[in-house]
Amino acid sequence: MLPLHTRAVISGDLSRPLLKVLDLAEALRGDVPHEQVAVQLDDGIDVDTGVLRDLGFAAVMRPGATDIRPDDALPVICGLSNTDVVNPGDVIRVRHDSGQLSVLYRRGANANSLFLTEQCNSRCLMCSQPPRDEDDLWRVSELLELIPLIDRDLPQLGFTGGEPTLLGPLLPELIRACKAALPRTGLHILTNGRNFAEPVLADSVHEAAGCTTWAIPLYADVPSRHDHVVQAAGAFDATVNGIYNLAERGHAIEIRFVVHAQTLPRMQRFAEFIWRNMPFVSHVAFMGLEPMGFAKVNRDLLWVDPVDYGPALAEAAWHLQDRGITTSIYNVPLCVLPEAAWPLARQSISDWKNIYDPACEGCSMRPRCCGFFASHGPAWRSRGIKAFRFDEAAE
Amino acid sequence: MPFRFARIPGVDGKVLVTSEVGEFEFLDETDFRAFEAGTLSPATDAYADLQGKHFLVEGDPSTTLRMVAAKYRTRKSFLKGGPALHVFVVTLRCDHSCRYCQVSRQTADQARFDMSTETVAAAIDLMFQTPSPSLTVEFQGGEPLLAFPRIRQIVEAIEERNRVKGRAITFSMTSTLHQADGEVLEFLRRHDFQLSTSLDGPETLHDANRPQPGRESHRRTVEGIGRVRAVLGERSLSALTTLTRESLKHPEAIVDEYVRLGFPSIFLRPLSPFGFAAKAAQRIGYGMEEFLPFYERALAYILELNRKGVAIQEAYTGFLLSHILTPFPTGYVDLRSPTGAGLGARVYNYDGGVYASDEGRMLAEMGDHSLRLGTVHDSHADLMQSEGMQLLLATGVAEALPGCSDCAFLPYCGADPVFNLAREGDPVGHRPTNAHCTKHTGLFRILFRYLAEADPHVMRTFTSWVTQRPVQRLPDAEAA
Ligand code: SF4
Ligand code: SF4
């Protein structure tokens, strides 16, 4: 798992903190305006940085080098504590004062997401990214700068938060920016959908129809249960109306259901509820708990050993899949799922998951298994973890 | 919210409740009493179950009503485009003289029982006046293939017209297939026909039901099936069973014959009270009380076959289960409310008469012209406002019929004013003695008994029938 941050030594004055890192050949192709490019010069490549300056490039990047050369004519980023963090194609933010270097977009990652805001109008019991009520509108301006630097052949880009609809008119603006800069990229936007109960807001994202999937959590077939899980009265009704408003305007909807002690009792009923009331959704995702944030605090309220809910999960997931609604299971290791559910189990969607337990040593299912979250610890360990020997799995 | 309820024989201690939009729930007798009295505790599972299915609603009902409205719209969405099934009775001629035949048969050489060129042109015009984006053109007779040149003419004219109209058109035909030879089959293949033939079961039964000089109907039908499959492919052909009094003794043998011939589906149809069938009723007919035990045995046998891995389904059960287990309507026009007659289907008779349904034209053959909407020279609007349509609309909405309006099976059932007219001389019908109702009450009781038992194998089979896809993996006892 590759971290997103590292430290670097930065010399000279960078006119802007956001830079696209490109190797020399790609930099010279001119797809990205030179003033936004840091040209990566690996050891042994000797280039007159004066020429690069004259071509208008913003900086030079020498990840492994420890020193600035006296003849460097451009700002230089070097001495990375972890040289693997940045690679050509990535977009980075460099903080001059602290020397912190963050990767905002990573070329070739299996998932790239934009973090829109830390604010949220729900307080889900298992939130892995607890919201903060801080004014973080600066993020949007940074994202508007970032979006044009993302590779145009990126198949999918996620929006996460926080709750992106709290950005008001800035959300449609971000969507427009993506459509303009990345016309072939599908957007996958996480939202609790509540604000889309207002038809005006649903109207305002009309440009997203056709290129966006709205991923909306719904945790029950009845309001009381859902409202309790998200700790917000009236949330269920608002979300349902939001889903209908979006669907009526031609948007694709993905429903997300996190399995834990508070949602499990209605899981089967929830599946039938989706089939009866929202058979139009394009995807239903059942997900295991991510042991982070509020989930850690509320562990005792939430914990069910996945090995105990496996059969019920298989049944609920197949209930939808058999009815023609594409259904997936995320974040539940294969050894705790009944084999019947394996065809629906997906490997994890982000790079920071997919770590494995010591017990996984030698497991033949590892290439297909989602493994665990990095934050997984003994309190979250299923008693069902058990490596498959090769011959077992081959059956 | 409004609900209806029923107690199902064989399902003890439980009450079936159904909602206007087709959700259902089995409640314990005590929970049911409390629910009905308004005293069911919000802390119970039953309360949440009923709330999740919108039988009860807390506080502001607007979100629930929005979902209910969406479900209602979806369920009744067959109303949107107007008639989508257009039946062309190209000839009354037939070379069979079936004991239960529903239309007047004529010898094979009387050309005056064929549809005229002029009628053809006007009927096609009329069909394109209906707004439905997808149309099914069905050829019937008599034996339609005896008028094959007419069929060819109609198909070509429709395809020509459709180049501008751009509707999704499916051609289908009901035929004995005896006349289906090389040139005919090639034509049917080119135009992607869906064919349906009559197969009453094993040879002795089929030939007894369908007399023909030489008593070789079964053999010739089976040969026809082979020829059709060879040219048009396996999926292009289905078969219908007509059940006589004799058939009722042999449910397993009839099903086996379908399996033997490789059909994925069998359609078990009781005799209908139309055409000659009504006259021959004493000899070959029977009441629904006799049909239901037959159906129950046949369905049990079919489910047993499926359990053993033989995929065969009963088509009518498939429609009923789709009504019960899915939020969607089916394309089936004969069990709807409002009735499919005239609203979902329309029949162009060989003589230029336009009828609300195939049975409507049979009634006319028997002297009752009330479902003749007009002629092919009328406009679509005229036909839809005709007296016949007004009669159907006044009597074809089950929600408003005495008996049906309180029936727990209403959301899955349909109104059949044409049938009632034929049987009782009155399109409303008298529910307690009504054969349509006896049949459907019986069928729904059998199916809901299965649903209450919820045997995993049966549920898996049922699910595959309503989704029309092989159920890859329904969890079952082994998985748990
Ligand atoms: S032992 Fe590890 S790798 Fe194997 S299935 Fe279980 S969690 Fe996955
Ligand atoms: S016909 Fe009978 S079974 Fe059908 S809705 Fe009416 S009363 Fe119920």
Side-chain angles (χ1 to χ4, degrees):
Chain A
M1 186 186 69
L2 211 45
L4 290 172
H5 306 282
T6 187
R7 300 221 162 255
V9 177
I10 299 144
S11 79
D13 276 334
L14 285 169
S15 55
R16 54 180 79 227
L18 240 57
L19 294 168
K20 176 93 170 172
V21 179
L22 294 174
D23 63 24
L24 188 57
E26 195 176 349
L28 290 173
R29 238 174 31 223
D31 296 341
V32 182
H34 290 179
E35 69 273 16
Q36 288 169 288
V37 173
V39 182
Q40 175 155 338
L41 300 175
D42 289 320
D43 298 347
I45 301 182
D46 212 8
V47 176
D48 179 351
T49 49
V51 177
L52 295 179
R53 179 199 53 205
D54 295 345
L55 285 169
F57 287 107
V60 165
M61 170 103 164
R62 288 200 193 89
T66 40
D67 298 316
I68 300 152
R69 301 181 189 178
D71 60 343
D72 273 336
L74 273 171
V76 175
I77 307 161
C78 64
L80 273 58
S81 337
N82 181 346
T83 52
D84 292 335
V85 169
V86 186
N87 290 288
D90 295 355
V91 181
I92 57 172
R93 181 212 297 130
V94 189
R95 292 225 197 274
H96 214 269
D97 42 0
S98 62
Q100 193 185 46
L101 187 158
S102 307
V103 177
L104 304 183
Y105 165 77
R106 178 168 281 157
R107 176 178 284 180
N110 62 0
N112 263 294
S113 284
L114 307 183
F115 191 86
L116 269 55
T117 176
E118 287 194 281
Q119 304 186 38
C120 191
N121 50 353
S122 295
R123 286 291 181 277
C124 301
L125 293 173
M126 65 295 177
C127 182
S128 58
Q129 195 112 45
R132 286 200 301 185
D133 267 330
E134 259 171 43
D135 179 8
D136 56 357
L137 281 183
W138 60 268
R139 290 177 187 279
V140 176
S141 355
E142 184 179 90
L143 292 175
L144 288 170
E145 247 189 274
L146 165 64
I147 289 164
L149 298 179
I150 292 174
D151 296 323
R152 279 170 75 93
D153 60 359
L154 182 71
Q156 196 187 56
L157 181 64
F159 281 20
T160 67
E163 172 50 41
T165 57
L166 295 178
L167 296 176
L170 294 176
L171 177 62
E173 192 174 332
L174 283 166
I175 292 168
R176 273 195 299 277
C178 287
K179 275 199 89 161
L182 307 163
R184 292 187 300 276
T185 302
L187 301 180
H188 184 267
I189 306 183
L190 262 171
T191 168
N192 60 39
R194 289 167 61 190
N195 283 327
F196 289 118
E198 281 307 326
V200 195
L201 190 72
D203 285 336
S204 76
V205 294
H206 65 98
E207 277 157 315
C211 66
T212 300
T213 301
W214 299 93
I216 304 179
L218 199 63
Y219 298 129
D221 57 337
V222 288
S224 50
R225 177 70 59 160
H226 176 89
D227 291 359
H228 175 64
V229 172
V230 306
Q231 294 287 296
F236 178 87
D237 281 4
T239 296
V240 166
N241 280 303
I243 290 169
Y244 271 51
N245 282 341
L246 288 172
E248 281 170 10
R249 286 160 178 77
H251 293 269
I253 309 284
E254 168 186 300
I255 300 289
R256 311 190 131 204
F257 184 97
V258 181
V259 189
H260 53 67
Q262 298 300 316
T263 59
L264 190 56
R266 308 239 30 109
M267 183 167 64
Q268 186 63 36
R269 295 277 177 165
F270 159 83
E272 175 71 4
F273 174 88
I274 296 296
W275 163 238
R276 290 279 180 175
N277 295 283
M278 304 172 180
F280 50 78
V281 301
S282 59
H283 184 208
V284 176
F286 289 92
M287 353 197 54
L289 264 183
E290 194 171 345
M292 273 169 71
F294 289 157
K296 277 191 163 158
V297 184
N298 292 321
R299 192 241 173 223
D300 293 343
L301 258 173
L302 302 173
W303 171 250
V304 193
D305 191 323
V307 80
D308 295 324
Y309 69 61
L313 175 56
E315 188 163 334
W318 275 111
H319 189 79
L320 291 163
Q321 179 74 23
D322 275 332
R323 282 159 183 74
I325 298 175
T326 307
T327 303
S328 308
I329 298 172
Y330 295 98
N331 307 343
V332 186
L334 290 178
C335 53
V336 303
L337 272 182
E339 233 180 288
W342 288 7
L344 303 181
R346 311 275 177 258
Q347 279 210 311
S348 209
I349 26 194
S350 310
D351 286 327
W352 72 82
K353 302 171 188 172
N354 284 341
I355 68 150
Y356 298 88
D357 193 90
C360 302
E361 196 57 49
C363 175
S364 55
M365 291 314 288
R366 220 166 124 150
R368 280 179 54 199
C369 182
C370 67
F372 302 89
F373 288 99
S375 48
H376 155 89
W380 303 90
R381 191 177 189 284
S382 169
R383 62 173 200 281
I385 305 296
K386 174 179 150 292
F388 290 95
R389 286 178 305 116
F390 191 80
D391 44 347
E392 262 182 279
E395 279 171 25
Chain B
M1 303 279 284
F3 68 94
R4 301 181 177 86
F5 67 97
R7 291 183 174 80
I8 307 292
V11 183
D12 296 331
K14 298 264 188 193
V15 181
L16 171 73
V17 292
T18 67
S19 79
E20 198 65 43
V21 296
E23 301 261 17
F24 69 91
E25 186 69 39
F26 283 101
L27 289 180
D28 288 341
E29 192 75 46
T30 41
D31 287 339
F32 175 71
R33 295 270 170 206
F35 170 51
E36 167 267 327
T39 57
L40 187 63
S41 159
T44 57
D45 283 345
Y47 184 97
D49 294 350
L50 288 169
Q51 190 184 13
K53 291 184 173 178
H54 305 150
F55 283 97
L56 63 81
V57 52
E58 267 175 5
D60 176 3
S62 54
T63 305
T64 300
L65 288 178
R66 187 171 186 187
M67 288 188 271
V68 167
K71 285 185 276 197
Y72 205 67
R73 262 200 316 275
T74 306
R75 229 160 224 283
K76 303 287 188 187
S77 57
F78 57 78
L79 284 170
K80 267 185 209 156
L85 173 62
H86 296 261
V87 178
F88 288 71
V89 180
V90 285
T91 181
L92 271 199
R93 292 184 286 138
C94 187
D95 54 348
H96 276 63
S97 46
C98 302
R99 307 171 68 177
Y100 45 69
C101 179
Q102 303 181 348
V103 277
S104 308
R105 59 190 182 276
Q106 308 293 333
T107 53
D109 50 20
Q110 288 175 315
R112 68 195 170 97
F113 289 106
D114 288 5
M115 196 179 248
S116 74
T117 318
E118 196 199 355
T119 301
V120 164
I124 293 174
D125 256 353
L126 256 183
M127 179 178 83
F128 278 110
Q129 285 177 36
T130 61
S132 178
S134 56
L135 300 168
T136 297
V137 178
E138 181 171 317
F139 295 101
Q140 284 210 7
E143 167 50 54
L145 281 184
L146 291 178
F148 176 65
R150 193 60 87 229
I151 293 177
R152 177 197 298 264
Q153 183 193 352
I154 296 174
V155 168
E156 282 165 359
I158 287 176
E159 291 198 332
E160 179 63 36
R161 280 286 289 277
N162 200 42
R163 280 201 221 147
V164 217
K165 298 280 184 183
R167 314 279 181 96
I169 295 185
T170 309
F171 293 105
S172 71
M173 178 164 62
T174 308
S175 161
T176 59
L177 304 178
H178 298 185
Q179 278 77 19
D181 59 15
E183 182 209 359
V184 172
L185 288 175
E186 186 45 37
F187 174 83
L188 299 177
R189 187 191 62 76
R190 247 198 340 271
H191 298 281
D192 235 339
F193 264 70
Q194 286 295 317
L195 296 178
S196 160
T197 194
S198 294
L199 180 73
D200 289 356
E203 189 164 352
T204 34
L205 189 61
H206 181 97
D207 286 343
N209 284 348
R210 298 176 180 269
Q212 210 204 13
R215 297 187 70 80
E216 53 181 9
S217 177
H218 183 272
R219 186 180 60 73
R220 293 184 64 189
T221 299
V222 171
E223 283 168 13
I225 291 170
R227 287 197 304 272
V228 167
R229 286 183 175 157
V231 180
L232 282 86
E234 296 283 328
R235 289 252 141 226
S236 58
L237 177 70
S238 60
L240 293 164
T241 325
T242 301
L243 303 165
T244 59
R245 176 181 281 280
E246 181 59 23
S247 311
L248 297 188
K249 299 179 197 149
H250 311 288
E252 291 85 4
I254 295 173
V255 173
D256 282 340
E257 179 71 354
Y258 273 70
V259 173
R260 183 180 76 83
L261 292 172
F263 284 103
S265 171
I266 183 171
F267 195 150
L268 298 171
R269 285 187 316 171
L271 274 184
S272 64
F274 298 102
F276 281 7
K279 290 183 205 161
Q282 286 92 337
R283 265 185 300 118
I284 57 173
Y286 45 85
M288 286 301 154
E289 322 75 59
E290 291 168 83
F291 167 72
L292 288 167
F294 162 86
Y295 170 84
E296 197 168 356
R297 236 173 91 188
L299 181 62
Y301 184 60
I302 287 171
L303 289 171
E304 192 191 315
L305 286 175
N306 278 282
R307 191 183 291 259
K308 290 184 191 145
V310 182
I312 172 117
Q313 68 167 289
E314 203 284 309
Y316 201 65
T317 311
F319 295 130
L320 298 181
L321 286 171
S322 294
H323 294 180
I324 298 170
L325 297 176
T326 85
F328 303 111
T330 60
Y332 188 68
V333 293
D334 290 345
L335 194 71
R336 284 181 177 174
S337 174
T339 176
L343 294 168
R346 183 191 280 167
V347 176
Y348 308 101
N349 206 7
Y350 73 99
D351 61 1
V354 177
Y355 293 88
S357 72
D358 207 27
E359 292 78 10
R361 85 163 151 122
M362 292 170 196
L363 271 181
E365 299 286 344
M366 294 155 70
D368 178 345
H369 295 275
S370 49
L371 296 177
R372 184 181 160 102
L373 307 180
T375 77
V376 289
H377 302 291
D378 294 323
S379 71
H380 177 58
D382 288 342
L383 293 173
M384 292 310 277
Q385 292 171 65
S386 61
E387 266 180 47
M389 277 315 295
Q390 292 184 26
L391 179 74
L392 286 170
L393 288 169
T395 58
V397 180
E399 282 81 351
L401 292 178
C404 298
S405 67
D406 299 320
C407 173
F409 305 129
L410 168 78
Y412 319 117
C413 198
D416 202 344
V418 186
F419 177 98
N420 297 341
L421 198 56
R423 272 279 165 111
E424 300 174 27
D426 166 28
V428 171
H430 178 57
R431 229 57 63 212
T433 55
N434 179 270
H436 170 82
C437 182
T438 309
K439 173 183 171 188
H440 287 96
T441 306
L443 295 179
F444 285 123
R445 283 180 173 163
I446 293 167
L447 295 182
F448 274 106
R449 206 187 59 222
Y450 276 116
L451 294 176
E453 281 167 10
D455 173 272
H457 285 279
V458 171
M459 293 310 285
R460 181 193 310 206
T461 303
F462 281 179
T463 305
S464 74
W465 293 1
V466 304
T467 56
Q468 290 300 325
R469 50 168 66 215
V471 167
Q472 310 167 34
R473 241 241 63 104
L474 267 184
D476 53 28
E478 295 118 47

